[in-house]
Amino acid sequence: MGSSYNYYRMFGCFNRKFKIRETEPPPDVRDAFFRYTGKGIQMNADQLLRYLVEVQGEEGCTIKDAEQIIQHVASRRHHLIRRLNHSLELDDFFFYLFQDDLNGAIKSQVHHDMTAPLQHYFIYTGHNSYLTGNQLSSDCSEIPIVKALERGVRGIELDLWPSSGKDNIHVLHGRTLTTPVPLLKCLKAIRDHAFVKSPYPVIVTLEDHLTPDLQAKVAEMVIQIFGEMLYYPQSECLEEFPSPEGLKNRIILSTKPPKEYLESKNQRDTSPVGKDSFREDLLKKEKSEIGVEDHDTDERSDSDQDDEDGDTSNDQQSSQPEAPKYKSLIAVHAGKAKHGLKRALREESNKVSRLSLSEQEVVRAAENYGTDLVRFTQKNILRVYPKGTRVTSSNFKPMTGWMHGAQMVAFNMQGYGKSLWMMHGMFRSNGSCGYVKKPHFLMDKGPHNEVFDPKVKLPVKKTLQVRVYMGDGWRLDFSHTHFDAYSPPDFYTKLYLVGVPADTRKKKTRILEDDWCPVWDEEFNFPLTVPELALLRIEVREYDMSEKDDFGGQTCLPVSELRTGIRSVPLYDKKGHKMKSVRLLMRFQFL
């Protein structure tokens, strides 16, 4: 078989020729194959089973599983050629290790206990789920809602405003230039796509800026569209949240309940659109962030702003009682920190509720009374949302919320970047079902009623050892001049350990020049004090001497879900879409 080459045009007058090296198994793969075949040239099902149990750590694996792997490899590599020996040669074995559906780095099934109350889980949550782009002027649509649900998002947020004629309900980002979408479209999209990816409950968070008659109309809509899908409690307020298992294939509403009688004073302008009102709100938020209006988080909460879980209808001029049907449909009641955040976190109640805080508010609370946050989330739900000045739909680092027990860290799913990659990584856990059981130390109290304190540096519990063998697939997914017009790419891999502050680290491999199939074969150790919260973020870049290094793919993996042994790691593009061919071969071990 002849060699293949890439040709690159230099200075427009002559070609440079680079030989494309064939992909070969790294030494560890060769050694494993010959060790388990007794230096033979074929690996049968019994030998493969021993390898799977002893090297890959798959204790529950059976001879039938090994036989199925051999059948899969034979059908993919040899197509219609019938293989009579039912075994793998070295190239077959290497091919198998690179198949992420057969040999992936994380577990693909739901395996967490799903029978605990909702507050025991991190919940995949979106922010302003209807926006197609920025927070100021993008279109509102049901399409982003569909995309989020198909990815496994379980928390959908809708802002409800009266239409211009005050006779219908629109969904849009209030007091901005975003174009509205009818509520009916959004509700139908949720109904039709809620359980495509996951059977576990979808929480619809409503920011309600409606009059009582429109609230009644919302109640009629959700009952008509969701039907038996809609879960709502028999009593006025839950004493304990149900479990994800008990709420399978159900939709639940969360918002602030309307007051018994709407106040007739302090009427506010409920017009959802206007440049001046947006600028005014933005200025308020900016002042709050720098402490102009909020010198002490114990005195006032940013969540008092109407922009999150707003209930401006409570202050509209009216003497009508609230629509009783609407109030009874709210399963997860949201509240405000009316008397200061510190008091709200420490108040004991026989009812459960949800509290919403801005990202900067959570950072301040974590600094001043982090253990109160943890204690609050042991019984209640805490939602964290992006600050108002993120008009480009960017996101914040979610780890502060997670390590304090916040269940609903709400993200702009259209705001691509490193923070969203971390969100994707966290919710690859537990079969990508959208619910991840929180570590026991975030839910359990100690012998002296103490709770987990993220500020306390703990001893190293285990060390994650990562070996980056090689990468392949770029030559199939990209043109040969995509990374460099004059030569093959110069790839390197960066590894980031994201977790509690003591565990945060970054490493990188050496740069391999002019190689479409780089073989780094480098090993790195990551000591972990809280491995249960750790994420391994992986990014491949192509070195560029004169400009910013090019992006070559990324992924983020929950450390608690990693399968040991030699594994295939598929990479994703900047928007989080899986690349067709690009993947790494890596080894994971815990020491």
Side-chain angles (χ1 to χ4, degrees):
M1 188 174 178
S3 299
S4 57
Y5 297 87
N6 274 153
Y7 293 90
Y8 293 84
R9 196 90 172 152
M10 289 292 291
F11 308 117
C13 58
F14 67 90
N15 289 331
R16 296 177 72 194
K17 182 172 72 173
F18 291 90
K19 184 176 181 179
I20 299 177
R21 184 169 53 82
E22 292 299 317
T23 307
E24 295 181 352
D28 279 6
V29 172
R30 288 179 174 273
D31 292 347
F33 180 83
F34 290 120
R35 183 164 71 250
Y36 282 90
T37 61
K39 299 185 178 179
I41 62 171
Q42 292 182 333
M43 177 181 280
N44 61 34
D46 287 324
Q47 293 164 337
L48 177 59
L49 177 60
R50 281 185 53 224
Y51 168 81
L52 294 173
V53 173
E54 295 175 13
V55 178
Q56 305 292 81
E58 298 181 16
E59 295 178 358
C61 200
T62 65
I63 190 70
K64 186 177 180 181
D65 296 324
E67 290 171 347
Q68 286 180 343
I69 288 171
I70 293 173
Q71 290 173 8
H72 281 302
V73 172
S75 64
R76 294 181 192 185
R77 290 208 76 204
H78 304 281
H79 305 293
L80 300 178
I81 299 174
R82 188 180 177 192
R83 307 202 66 199
L84 301 176
N85 53 13
H86 303 292
S87 61
L88 301 177
E89 295 177 357
L90 175 58
D91 285 347
D92 297 325
F93 180 64
F94 181 42
F95 175 86
Y96 153 68
L97 291 177
F98 246 127
Q99 303 305 298
D100 59 272
D101 62 329
L102 301 178
N103 186 44
I106 57 174
K107 302 167 185 174
S108 59
Q109 297 83 27
V110 174
H111 58 279
H112 294 180
D113 172 23
M114 302 301 286
T115 62
L118 284 179
Q119 77 269 19
H120 286 234
Y121 300 85
F122 296 126
I123 304 170
Y124 203 177
T125 305
H127 174 254
N128 291 349
S129 304
Y130 49 86
L131 286 180
T132 57
N134 69 66
Q135 305 282 313
L136 175 56
S137 60
S138 66
D139 292 336
C140 300
S141 168
E142 76 281 9
I143 302 301
I145 296 171
V146 172
K147 289 180 178 178
L149 292 169
E150 289 178 344
R151 183 178 276 280
V153 171
R154 301 289 84 190
I156 298 294
E157 183 187 30
L158 304 176
D159 287 10
L160 309 185
W161 291 88
S163 63
S164 56
K166 310 293 183 183
D167 58 346
N168 212 336
I169 303 107
H170 279 167
V171 174
L172 75 158
H173 196 199
R175 304 187 181 97
T176 70
L177 303 177
T178 55
T179 55
V181 58
L183 173 62
L184 195 63
K185 271 192 175 183
C186 296
L187 296 180
K188 287 181 178 179
I190 293 170
R191 177 195 64 191
D192 295 342
H193 297 87
F195 307 110
V196 170
K197 175 72 173 179
S198 168
Y200 293 102
V202 170
I203 301 172
V204 181
T205 300
L206 302 177
E207 285 189 22
D208 170 9
H209 304 266
L210 303 176
T211 55
D213 56 331
L214 290 180
Q215 287 177 343
K217 194 165 186 175
V218 172
E220 291 173 7
M221 280 186 183
V222 296
I223 290 171
Q224 180 185 359
I225 293 170
F226 294 148
E228 292 186 359
M229 284 184 174
L230 187 66
Y231 167 84
Y232 50 95
Q234 300 303 312
S235 59
E236 183 175 315
C237 192
L238 292 170
E239 294 183 7
E240 184 176 63
F241 291 119
S243 71
E245 186 66 31
L247 292 171
K248 263 187 173 179
N249 299 304
R250 305 297 291 272
I251 294 169
I252 51 186
L253 302 183
S254 178
T255 188
K256 291 186 180 74
K259 294 179 182 178
E260 291 300 322
Y261 290 93
L262 301 175
E263 296 172 338
S264 58
K265 296 181 181 180
N266 301 322
Q267 181 179 8
R268 297 183 185 179
D269 175 20
T270 59
S271 173
V273 180
K275 289 183 182 178
D276 293 338
S277 57
F278 175 78
R279 288 172 182 157
E280 184 182 337
D281 281 1
L282 194 60
L283 183 60
K284 285 181 182 178
K285 288 177 179 177
E286 286 174 338
K287 286 180 180 178
S288 177
E289 286 162 31
I290 61 175
V292 174
E293 293 186 349
D294 189 9
H295 297 291
D296 184 356
T297 53
D298 190 27
E299 295 300 319
R300 177 187 173 275
S301 166
D302 287 340
S303 58
D304 287 345
Q305 298 169 8
D306 286 330
D307 287 332
E308 292 297 325
D309 296 328
D311 56 352
T312 53
S313 62
N314 291 348
D315 298 308
Q316 293 171 28
Q317 188 172 358
S318 174
S319 59
Q320 301 177 44
E322 94 289 347
K325 282 186 180 179
Y326 178 75
K327 183 175 182 179
S328 67
L329 297 180
I330 301 168
V332 179
H333 287 207
K336 290 181 178 181
K338 294 180 179 179
H339 305 290
L341 182 54
K342 185 176 181 180
R343 180 171 168 182
L345 293 174
R346 292 184 176 181
E347 277 182 341
E348 293 288 337
S349 172
N350 60 349
K351 307 293 186 182
V352 291
S353 64
R354 173 177 66 79
L355 181 66
S356 283
L357 304 177
S358 66
E359 60 174 282
Q360 69 269 43
E361 194 171 15
V362 165
V363 169
R364 290 197 296 267
E367 181 65 30
N368 294 326
Y369 24 85
T371 53
D372 290 330
L373 280 175
V374 175
R375 198 180 301 276
F376 177 84
T377 60
Q378 290 184 340
K379 182 178 179 181
N380 303 284
I381 290 176
L382 178 62
R383 174 176 170 269
V384 185
Y385 59 89
K387 60 186 178 182
T389 50
R390 291 189 181 274
V391 294
T392 60
S393 292
S394 62
N395 286 302
F396 55 97
K397 294 179 180 178
M399 191 55 69
T400 299
W402 287 333
M403 67 187 182
H404 288 86
Q407 297 88 348
M408 302 181 75
V409 177
F411 261 36
N412 297 308
M413 293 300 165
Q414 77 279 27
Y416 307 115
K418 295 173 184 177
S419 293
L420 189 60
W421 299 346
M422 290 165 58
M423 181 68 69
H424 292 164
M426 168 63 85
F427 289 99
R428 289 191 177 105
S429 301
N430 200 26
S432 299
C433 75
Y435 284 82
V436 175
K437 189 86 181 324
K438 289 160 62 172
H440 70 89
F441 54 79
L442 284 174
M443 299 310 306
D444 300 337
K445 293 182 175 68
H448 304 292
N449 205 35
E450 72 273 15
V451 297
F452 175 70
D453 186 351
K455 287 183 182 178
V456 174
K457 186 173 180 180
L458 302 170
V460 172
K461 185 180 289 188
K462 60 175 72 173
T463 296
L464 171 64
Q465 187 177 81
V466 179
R467 193 168 196 91
V468 186
Y469 288 117
M470 60 188 297
D472 197 14
W474 291 279
R475 55 187 167 177
L476 300 176
D477 290 356
F478 297 91
S479 72
H480 79 285
T481 57
H482 176 86
F483 295 103
D484 196 322
Y486 306 115
S487 64
D490 309 322
F491 287 126
Y492 64 96
T493 297
K494 299 178 78 172
L495 303 174
Y496 301 83
L497 200 292
V498 184
V500 298
D503 293 348
T504 302
R505 283 174 177 76
K506 58 183 177 180
K507 311 274 188 179
K508 71 175 181 177
T509 67
R510 66 189 187 279
I511 300 166
L512 291 181
E513 296 183 356
D514 302 333
D515 201 334
W516 280 102
C517 182
V519 180
W520 299 283
D521 204 4
E522 294 185 48
E523 192 169 271
F524 306 95
N525 288 341
F526 296 95
L528 300 170
T529 62
V530 187
E532 298 89 346
L533 291 175
L535 300 172
L536 179 65
R537 193 169 72 77
I538 303 164
E539 191 173 346
V540 175
R541 302 198 74 86
E542 197 271 336
Y543 176 71
D544 193 318
M545 187 180 298
S546 58
E547 299 178 8
K548 185 179 179 181
D549 291 352
D550 292 321
F551 174 82
Q554 60 83 23
T555 191
C556 188
L557 304 173
V559 169
S560 62
E561 301 269 318
L562 284 176
R563 302 166 76 195
T564 55
I566 301 172
R567 300 291 178 178
S568 174
V569 178
L571 297 187
Y572 298 76
D573 65 16
K574 288 183 178 180
K575 294 184 177 181
H577 301 133
K578 186 179 177 182
M579 294 182 178
K580 185 177 180 181
S581 311
V582 180
R583 55 210 189 279
L584 302 176
L585 191 67
M586 305 178 70
R587 188 186 71 202
F588 305 104
Q589 291 180 300
F590 290 101
L591 308 178

